[in-house]
Amino acid sequence: TIKHCNSGDCAQKVRQAIARAKGKAEHNIAKLDEKATWEKAAKAASLEAARSCKQARAINATATCEGFYEKFLERSGKAPPTGPREEATLRRRVAFEVAETEIKETAMACLTGPKDELKDCLAAAAAHRQETLEFVMKEGGMENLTRHGAKNKVAERKANIA
């Protein structure tokens, strides 16, 4: 697996890749560009880990999988939070971002698909949205889902693309 790197050959290759992707010269790549790229890669890895885990749990309810929060920390290069409150906050933020991205991608798949299947696709997407929110919230450490009804609505609202 690729992990965050700050120095040496690895950092140089990352800067070169960012420069190529942005169409800039390597010396014009700011630290902010690097940080944003690592953050984006970490979010993508978290989303993929959540999807894989959800699929594994659909087949086997007792399946163990790597947590998407842990994957985010590994890929982002961020130091783990120092206290339990900071960790809980970051864990919730990552869970909401994973849920938001999954909801957006599901809705976009419906909107870019055949027009005659749009109504059925959106109905299936609504069920998928609720299922995704419940799974991600639970995996993100928010066990009591009845207390998080408002948070579910916030995640849905943020992901609303229509």
Side-chain angles (χ1 to χ4, degrees):
T1 60
I2 298 173
K3 293 187 180 181
H4 190 76
C5 58
N6 291 327
S7 61
D9 192 40
C10 176
Q12 186 67 24
K13 287 181 181 179
V14 169
R15 288 183 70 78
Q16 290 171 352
I18 294 170
R20 278 194 307 273
K22 292 190 172 274
K24 294 181 176 181
E26 188 179 333
H27 65 276
N28 289 338
I29 299 299
K31 287 285 186 193
L32 191 59
D33 290 329
E34 285 184 62
K35 185 177 178 182
T37 301
W38 281 113
E39 185 90 8
K40 187 175 180 181
K43 287 178 185 178
S46 296
L47 180 62
E48 192 54 42
R51 284 179 180 161
S52 298
C53 187
K54 188 176 175 194
Q55 289 174 349
R57 295 264 172 86
I59 296 168
N60 179 2
T62 60
T64 59
C65 28
E66 185 177 10
F68 57 85
Y69 171 73
E70 290 77 12
K71 183 66 88 172
F72 176 83
L73 284 179
E74 174 188 321
R75 293 292 177 100
S76 68
K78 290 185 176 187
T82 54
R85 181 173 284 165
E86 291 85 6
E87 181 179 354
T89 300
L90 182 59
R91 188 176 287 272
R92 280 192 299 274
R93 187 185 68 121
V94 171
F96 279 121
E97 288 175 358
V98 166
E100 179 184 344
T101 303
E102 180 67 16
I103 291 167
K104 279 183 181 178
E105 288 183 7
T106 302
M108 285 303 291
C110 289
L111 296 175
T112 58
K115 297 290 182 199
D116 57 332
E117 297 174 7
L118 180 64
K119 190 174 185 178
D120 294 336
C121 184
L122 289 175
H128 176 74
R129 177 175 56 237
Q130 187 59 39
E131 183 182 303
T132 298
L133 281 169
E134 288 175 8
F135 176 79
V136 169
M137 297 281 191
K138 186 175 181 184
E139 290 297 309
M142 294 169 262
E143 294 294 329
N144 187 355
L145 298 178
T146 57
R147 290 183 49 222
H148 298 288
K151 293 184 186 233
N152 287 352
K153 289 178 184 174
V154 168
E156 285 183 29
R157 198 170 35 246
K158 282 183 75 178
N160 187 7
I161 58 171

